[in-house]
Amino acid sequence: MTKAKSNVVTDFVAPIVVLVLICAIMSGLLAFTNSITKPIIDKAEEEANRAARLEVLPAAAAGQEDAADADPFEEVTVDGLPDSITGVFKATNGAGYVFSLTTTGYGGKNTLKMTVGIDMAGKITDTKVLSHSETAGLGSKITGDAFKGQFPGKDASLEGVDNISGATFSSNYYRAAIADAYTAYGLVTG
């Protein structure tokens, strides 16, 4: 048997060229798919945020029965907000403010997304976790009624709010997010 002579082009260059072409084609297909799905995902996310705003400050929707498509909130722009605040919305009927936050959670930076409603008297109307990366079964209890149900009616002191046993970090991140919402509340209300 004779051994075929090795050729640099067929042994080394050709496989590299084929892999580069496959990667380029797949990247193009992913970019195309993203261009089609991104507007759909953005719209769904905005609808979820709108629903969360109405959930944490339901008084904002009072009198809106005839205007189902009208948004009972207007976005407010304020300088000096904490980095975690991604949006500030004022109820057009004067019921209060809603703060959208993306902050550090036990899962790391920007892993806790939530919405906090604060009425004009400075009391929390409700809170809602939109997404998180907390430990399943332990830190994820921040989404349960037993924990989040403590916040409505509380002021900035959060007096009487207990942490989740065994999930102190998650509880503290949640409380820190609410503290940022109160900092923003102070800025928008003067």
Side-chain angles (χ1 to χ4, degrees), residues 7 15 26 32 36 44 52 56 68-69 116 139 144 166 189:
N7 185 341
M26 294 309 293
F32 175 72
I36 291 173
V56 300
D69 292 334
V116 177
T189 58

Side-chain angles (χ1 to χ4, degrees), residues 3-135:
K3 187 174 176 183
K5 240 181 164 178
S6 178
N7 185 341
V8 173
V9 172
T10 58
D11 290 346
F12 298 105
V13 175
I16 292 171
V17 169
V18 169
L19 287 174
V20 167
L21 285 174
I22 290 172
C23 288
I25 291 169
M26 294 309 293
S27 295
L29 289 173
L30 284 172
F32 175 72
T33 302
N34 185 55
S35 70
I36 291 173
T37 58
K38 185 170 179 11
I40 297 167
I41 292 169
D42 289 346
K43 183 178 179 187
E45 187 173 313
E46 180 52 40
E47 285 300 315
N49 287 333
R50 182 176 188 269
R53 288 192 294 270
L54 287 169
E55 187 175 330
V56 300
L57 192 64
Q64 292 283 325
E65 293 81 20
D66 296 333
D69 292 334
D71 194 345
F73 296 97
E74 59 185 26
E75 191 162 6
V76 178
T77 305
V78 181
D79 291 331
L81 291 172
D83 291 338
S84 62
I85 303 291
T86 58
V88 177
F89 301 88
K90 180 181 182 181
T92 55
N93 68 356
Y97 291 89
V98 173
F99 303 92
S100 298
L101 300 103
T102 300
T103 188
T104 299
Y106 191 69
K109 186 174 183 176
N110 297 333
T111 58
L112 178 59
K113 293 183 181 185
M114 59 188 290
T115 304
V116 177
I118 302 175
D119 65 19
M120 293 309 286
K123 305 282 186 186
I124 296 173
T125 55
D126 205 355
T127 63
K128 180 173 178 74
V129 174
L130 300 173
S131 67
H132 67 85
S133 296
E134 305 303 299
T135 306

